[in-house]
Amino acid sequence: MTVSSAPGKIILFGEHAVVYGRPALAVPVTQVHADVEILASDRPGIWIAAPDIALHSDLNSLPSDHPIAAVIHNFLFLSRTSFSPAGRGAEEEGSFPNLSIKITSTIPVASGLGSGAAVTVALVRALSSHLDYPMSDEEVNAFAYEIEKLHHGTPSGIDNTVVTYGKPVYFVKSPPSPARGGAGGEVETFTVGTPFTIVIGDTGLPAPTRDSVGDVRKLWEAEKERWEGVFDEIGEIAKQARNAIERGRTKELGGLMNQNHVLLQEMTVSSPELDRLVETARTAGALGAKLSGGGRGGNMIALVEPEKADSVASSLMNAGAKRVIVTAVGRRSNAP
Ligand code: MEV
């Protein structure tokens, strides 16, 4: 049996502006994860069970653009073509063993916590290991970026990157180029001077990232100068935040989160539910709060002193959050 796991993620600073080449900061959230188990099977074909989404099917019965089928087809295509016949991978059509693949995930779907990227990364790593087709982190990341593009239109690449590397990342999208392969951008990992605590609050509403990214594009197309200015401000916030995190001046992050949230509101990607949770967290003693990810639904994050984490978390639940996660950024394991 082969098993593989990939964490969820949150964006700390810079969502949306990152699509336009500004830097963004994201960190893995290990309290939630996608897990894949692959077993050799007697039954002919590749059988997939994903009980969380009530999926029990063989690969050939799924539409080829189904997110899970797309990962498997792309992997099989890659492993058959890139390095065959001399190198890695299966050499002949039909030479793949019969497989039984089980996929589970504790990452809420469409909530801005990177559930799609985590399933892709866990699945491709499990296939690569089970079928003896080794892939580097860079290759896994580039693979996951291609799948993200299928589902999110014009993603920056930050989600697949943080999920693949499982480390805090400072990410800058590369300029578009037909010749460019890779995973979508320049990646730097950064050090966390002093660990800090984040409370994540889920509105329970889906975050329609493709729509919100598309709507921001329409705003930008109509008034490029204005929005380039807003993206510059957000990029500056992300740079200051990285600096503060590296120097252990984590309290400064609260004000930066608040500033970033105002700019996201201006971009129309917040919502009454997100604003309510952001306000609730601040009133309950958080040092700052903002939405995280694509917005309109999904999650918000709040920076808290560790001793305030529980009370901010229960205030968020009382204000209608569907779940909360407390995570410590920069600890060896980001358990609370
Ligand atoms: C989604 O998690 C983050 C966005 O910036 C989109 C992207 O970077 O692809 C909204």
Side-chain angles (χ1 to χ4, degrees), residues 29 31-32 106 108 113 198-204 277 280-281 299-302 309-327 336:
V29 178
Q31 284 92 342
V32 286
T106 57
L113 290 180
I198 297 284
V199 180
I200 305 168
D202 189 350
T203 58
L277 295 184
T280 301
N299 284 279
M300 49 69 68
I301 56 175
D310 286 347
S311 60
V312 170
S314 33
S315 301
L316 287 173
M317 289 303 283
N318 290 337
K322 293 295 167 295
R323 71 181 73 71
V324 292
I325 298 171
V326 179
T327 190

Side-chain angles (χ1 to χ4, degrees), residues 35-52:
D35 296 279
V36 174
E37 262 177 39
I38 303 187
L39 289 167
S41 156
D42 293 337
R43 197 158 40 158
I46 295 183
W47 288 82
I48 303 147
D52 303 319

Side-chain angles (χ1 to χ4, degrees), residues 9 11 15-16 18-19 154-159 209 213 293-294:
K9 68 96 209 342
I11 295 186
E15 51 275 269
H16 287 287
V18 67
V19 174
T154 54
S156 62
I158 190 169
D159 289 9
T209 302
V213 168

